[in-house]
Amino acid sequence: MADPAVLKTYFDTVDNLQDYYVERLKEAVAIKSYELADLGTHVMDGKTLKLPPAILGTYGNDQNKKTILVYGHYDVQPALIEDGWSSDPFELHETSKHQLIGRGASDDKGPVIGWLNAIEAHQKAGIEFPVNLKFCFEGMEECGSEGMDELVVREAKRYFTGVDAVCISDNYWLGVTKPCLTYGLRGISYFKITISGPGRDLHSGVFGGTVHEPMTDLFLLFSKLVSPSGDILIPGINDNVEPLTEEENKIYESIEFSMNEYHDAIGSKTTIYEDKIKTLQHRWRFPSLTIHGIEGAFSAPGTKTVLPAKITGKFSIRLVPNMEPDRINALVEKFLTEEFAKLGSKNTLNVGCVHGAKAWVSSPNHWNYVAAAKAIEKVFKVHPDYTREGGSIPITLTFQDALNKNVLLLPMGRGDDGAHSINEKLDRSNYIEGIKLFGAYLHEIAAIKAE
Ligand code: BES
Ligand code: ZN
């Protein structure tokens, strides 16, 4: 067990520094990190773009201590005040309920800055740092972690050598009150369908009824992908999904999860399932298909009578264990090509997977998880739930496979933080207690090693 006196000094120091930490997060949120900085290039839609750098760092190199690799991402989803934010998304502000509102506050700048604060609090408190750290902070996570797999594989036996376990803080508590440890993520295959016909956008009054319309073709294809109750209709997609056993079913019963809180997080009661077990299972362990949007379509207000000449529809499938992205991509491409042929349209179809990541499941009995559970008990006085997640962090499985080490997901924010949405927030208490949790977790790791 970690020394209670040391933890108390550390926790008190974090408490004393909390306003300073909020200021630091404010500075991080003010950086519009969805714009690209430079490192290498990536070809997207025929354009060569510069990739933002991944930041690698080392803190401590004591052979007698364990080495923990911490990963996070500093890129964020785009945000515009016109999307419906109550204030400038890149100016962090605190509400009367002590919510820190700003893009990236929870996903993932709060946690990234949180790790740095944890180190600094040790320095200020004069406490020896319990482990060696290696950092890997990337700037392309929200776009599929372009270039990262290659980096991790290349550096596995160089920069990342000596790493004993990996910790990623890039997800959220299941609800709003209870911390959790997360041992699974879904993967993803992201597709683009481009349909082109006329050489330019046309007047629908002059040409409507005489040409094959790309938008009509796209809607017909979209309608074949998924049912209103979420069943994926592409033949073969569900074939490899692990059947649900009685034993697994039981795991869900004891997890604390409120459908009311979930409805609050969604902002409506439009869930497909009424009960928590089905809802969690369809979030974590069954695949899902989401249609995201259409590029090139008329989407501005008003009633322009345009006939769009070329459009790109975007959708993705969240993958679960045993679903192989290559096989899924082949099934999707075959299905869409066949369905398009049935339309008898003279337009041209182009379909392809833009990026993909496999699902990840870890072993929650590993000392990495044991240490984190002890730390949660110290900081929050509760025993955590063990959760999986429906989202994807592509690099997670790469760390596990390339380094052959256990990976833990240790969330800082709450389930209603609104990551990717408007008014994303991080509660001040989650931020400050999260910094304590990170430090306590590292102390518990050191204590396990010493036992
Ligand atoms: N922080 C999320 C990942 C996440 C989401 C974990 C929900 C747990 C629950 C991350 O920043 C993210 O959004 N990732 C993308 C990855 C994709 C672009 C490959 C995602 O899941 O859409
Ligand atoms: Zn994230």
Side-chain angles (χ1 to χ4, degrees):
M1 193 180 79
D3 184 342
V6 170
L7 284 185
K8 180 164 188 321
T9 311
Y10 172 62
F11 292 170
D12 290 347
T13 309
V14 173
D15 279 332
N16 291 335
L17 290 169
Q18 58 171 287
D19 289 334
Y20 163 68
Y21 288 156
V22 169
E23 278 308 305
R24 179 175 273 166
L25 181 58
K26 192 171 181 176
E27 284 174 34
V29 166
I31 304 167
K32 293 186 178 172
S33 44
Y34 59 91
E35 290 162 8
L36 303 181
D38 70 321
L39 176 109
T41 57
H42 166 59
V43 177
M44 196 166 90
D45 296 338
K47 281 183 231 134
T48 303
L49 301 173
K50 284 185 171 178
L51 283 177
I55 302 167
L56 302 180
T58 302
Y59 185 66
N61 185 19
D62 182 339
Q63 295 305 305
N64 297 315
K65 293 177 182 171
K66 279 212 174 352
T67 300
I68 303 302
L69 170 62
V70 165
Y71 163 91
H73 64 92
Y74 63 83
D75 61 319
V76 295
Q77 287 281 314
L80 297 169
I81 190 141
E82 303 87 275
D83 297 339
W85 285 73
S86 57
S87 60
D88 183 342
F90 295 98
E91 245 180 64
L92 188 81
H93 78 279
E94 185 164 9
T95 66
S96 55
K97 290 183 183 155
H98 298 295
Q99 294 184 332
L100 305 166
I101 301 198
R103 173 55 89 224
S106 176
D107 184 10
D108 188 33
K109 289 181 175 175
V112 165
I113 300 292
W115 286 109
L116 305 181
N117 294 341
I119 296 179
E120 193 193 47
H122 279 80
Q123 293 170 341
K124 292 208 163 151
I127 301 170
E128 185 185 348
F129 209 70
V131 300
N132 305 313
L133 286 182
K134 290 214 188 232
F135 288 106
C136 177
F137 295 144
E138 71 154 310
M140 276 296 277
E141 196 276 344
E142 299 289 7
C143 304
S145 294
E146 213 53 63
M148 281 300 291
D149 277 350
E150 295 78 357
L151 174 90
V152 171
V153 169
R154 189 178 72 228
E155 296 298 330
K157 296 220 158 43
R158 300 196 316 197
Y159 192 79
F160 296 123
T161 194
V163 165
D164 294 298
V166 184
C167 183
I168 298 178
S169 186
D170 184 22
N171 69 306
Y172 332 101
W173 295 353
L174 192 49
V176 298
T177 50
K178 197 173 174 193
C180 61
L181 298 177
T182 306
Y183 63 95
L185 287 167
R186 289 194 293 185
I188 188 170
S189 279
Y190 200 110
F191 296 93
K192 286 189 180 181
I193 311 178
T194 298
I195 301 181
S196 38
R200 62 195 70 85
D201 282 1
L202 301 173
H203 189 305
S204 70
V206 179
F207 298 100
T210 67
V211 293
H212 290 285
E213 300 199 13
M215 197 75 133
T216 309
D217 294 350
L218 180 67
F219 273 81
L220 289 166
L221 291 185
F222 269 173
S223 74
K224 305 267 163 52
L225 296 174
V226 62
S227 82
S229 52
D231 298 316
I232 301 176
L233 305 174
I234 305 163
I237 289 285
N238 292 300
D239 286 359
N240 295 348
V241 175
E242 232 172 14
L244 191 62
T245 61
E246 267 308 302
E247 210 183 335
E248 191 196 330
N249 221 8
K250 286 213 181 77
I251 299 177
Y252 294 85
E253 279 166 19
S254 61
I255 292 174
E256 240 179 79
F257 180 75
S258 142
M259 285 302 287
N260 284 338
E261 272 180 17
Y262 196 55
H263 287 144
D264 285 347
I266 295 169
S268 74
K269 292 192 185 336
T270 54
T271 43
I272 295 175
Y273 307 97
E274 301 305 324
D275 71 298
K276 83 165 186 186
I277 295 184
K278 281 217 161 62
T279 299
L280 287 178
Q281 288 173 348
H282 281 272
R283 235 175 104 169
W284 296 351
R285 61 100 60 223
F286 288 120
S288 61
L289 188 153
T290 299
I291 296 172
H292 302 292
I294 306 169
E295 241 174 79
F298 167 54
S299 65
T303 53
K304 186 163 80 161
T305 50
V306 65
L307 188 168
K310 180 181 175 187
I311 38 136
T312 299
K314 302 174 200 181
F315 70 96
S316 71
I317 302 178
R318 295 285 170 174
L319 310 177
V320 298
N322 295 341
M323 289 173 86
E324 278 297 324
D326 286 351
R327 181 177 166 272
I328 298 301
N329 301 350
L331 286 172
V332 168
E333 283 166 27
K334 177 172 179 283
F335 176 69
L336 285 172
T337 307
E338 284 170 6
E339 290 301 316
F340 184 70
K342 287 184 201 163
L343 300 181
S345 167
K346 288 184 187 160
N347 291 330
T348 310
L349 168 79
N350 208 307
V351 54
C353 175
V354 209
H355 58 72
K358 280 197 216 172
W360 161 81
V361 184
S362 181
S363 342
N365 298 324
H366 190 274
W367 56 257
N368 200 19
Y369 283 77
V370 174
K374 285 186 182 169
I376 285 180
E377 279 163 16
K378 292 269 163 54
V379 176
F380 296 96
K381 319 281 182 248
V382 289
H383 192 64
D385 274 331
Y386 290 78
T387 65
R388 284 166 67 168
E389 278 280 15
S392 315
I393 307 171
I395 206 65
T396 316
L397 184 64
T398 315
F399 279 135
Q400 184 171 294
D401 289 351
L403 309 187
N404 199 18
K405 295 295 168 192
N406 181 269
V407 183
L408 156 76
L409 256 56
L410 183 61
M412 177 182 259
R414 302 184 188 180
D416 67 346
D417 282 355
H420 294 209
S421 183
I422 58 166
N423 298 329
E424 175 178 348
K425 59 92 176 161
L426 177 65
D427 293 78
R428 178 187 271 255
S429 67
N430 281 61
Y431 182 43
I432 301 304
E433 300 306 297
I435 296 166
K436 294 181 192 171
L437 175 62
F438 290 174
Y441 154 69
L442 300 175
H443 281 278
E444 293 296 350
I445 286 177
I448 286 177
K449 202 195 161 203
E451 269 160 19

